[in-house]
């Protein structure tokens, strides 16, 4: 899913300023999207992966306004994360369906179900399965 950038010569590293936000590895977003797409089944119509600021990185499934959903979800997550010691999972009930959100490293995974009869436990299990697959690769990026 990811690969580490090639090491540069010591001279070029010494001359460059170090940045905390510089990635430690690069992600193959196509593989991440394939992992998300495998979880799109009856009851779950879409899956999103975005950063903690709400910038959409990849998505799978049938979804409209994914940029807005990722930005709003990240904002809601951050609001609750500021008051909680460790936030692992969040369920947001919307007018048109349910959003399940989980954190993985500096990223958030969100799955949407437009079926109100779809069991919350299954939605959470799907998200946890994706988190388990992506936790190690995505946690090592930043």
């Amino acid at each position: 899913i990811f690969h580490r950038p090639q090491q540069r010569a010591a001279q070029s590293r010494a001359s460059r300023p170090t940045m905390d936000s510089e990635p430690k590895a690069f992600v193959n977003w196509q593989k991440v999207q394939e992992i998300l797409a495998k979880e799109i089944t009856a009851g779950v119509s879409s899956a999103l992966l975005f950063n903690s600021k709400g910038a959409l990185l990849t998505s799978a499934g049938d979804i409209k306004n994914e940029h807005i959903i990722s930005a709003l979800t990240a904002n809601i997550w951050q609001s609750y994360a500021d008051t909680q010691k460790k936030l692992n999972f969040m369920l947001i009930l919307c007018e048109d369906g349910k959003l399940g959100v989980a954190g993985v490293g500096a990223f958030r995974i969100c799955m949407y179900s437009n079926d109100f009869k779809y069991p919350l436990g299954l939605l959470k299990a799907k998200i946890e399965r994706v988190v388990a697959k992506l936790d190690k690769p995505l946690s090592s990026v930043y």
Side-chain angles (χ1 to χ4, degrees), residues 65-118:
N65 302 320
E66 61 267 4
H67 294 285
I68 295 169
I69 291 170
S70 63
L72 288 172
T73 306
N75 192 356
I76 293 168
W77 180 278
Q78 190 58 47
S79 296
Y80 280 97
D82 289 344
T83 62
Q84 303 292 320
K85 291 191 180 209
K86 184 166 182 178
L87 185 59
N88 294 322
F89 182 81
M90 179 182 292
L91 179 68
I92 303 170
L93 297 175
C94 304
E95 189 175 296
D96 295 331
K98 309 170 194 173
L99 285 172
V101 188
V104 55
F107 304 98
R108 308 289 174 259
I109 292 174
C110 174
M111 287 191 182
Y112 174 71
S113 174
N114 56 1
D115 180 5
F116 282 103
K117 294 180 182 178
Y118 192 75

Side-chain angles (χ1 to χ4, degrees), residues 5 8 12-25 141-142:
R8 294 184 174 100
S12 66
R13 255 188 287 144
S15 63
R16 291 183 325 149
T18 58
M19 296 175 65
D20 292 338
S21 63
E22 191 172 306
K24 297 176 191 171
V141 173
Y142 286 100

Side-chain angles (χ1 to χ4, degrees), residues 13-83:
R13 255 188 287 144
S15 63
R16 291 183 325 149
T18 58
M19 296 175 65
D20 292 338
S21 63
E22 191 172 306
K24 297 176 191 171
F26 296 102
V27 177
N28 182 340
W29 294 112
Q30 185 176 3
K31 293 235 186 239
V32 173
Q33 188 175 30
E34 289 172 9
I35 290 170
L36 293 176
K38 285 180 183 177
E39 299 301 325
I40 306 301
T41 58
V44 175
S45 60
S46 61
L48 308 170
L49 178 74
F50 49 93
N51 68 14
S52 60
K53 304 232 186 258
L56 182 66
L57 302 170
T58 189
S59 64
D62 181 32
I63 190 163
K64 297 173 185 169
N65 302 320
E66 61 267 4
H67 294 285
I68 295 169
I69 291 170
S70 63
L72 288 172
T73 306
N75 192 356
I76 293 168
W77 180 278
Q78 190 58 47
S79 296
Y80 280 97
D82 289 344
T83 62

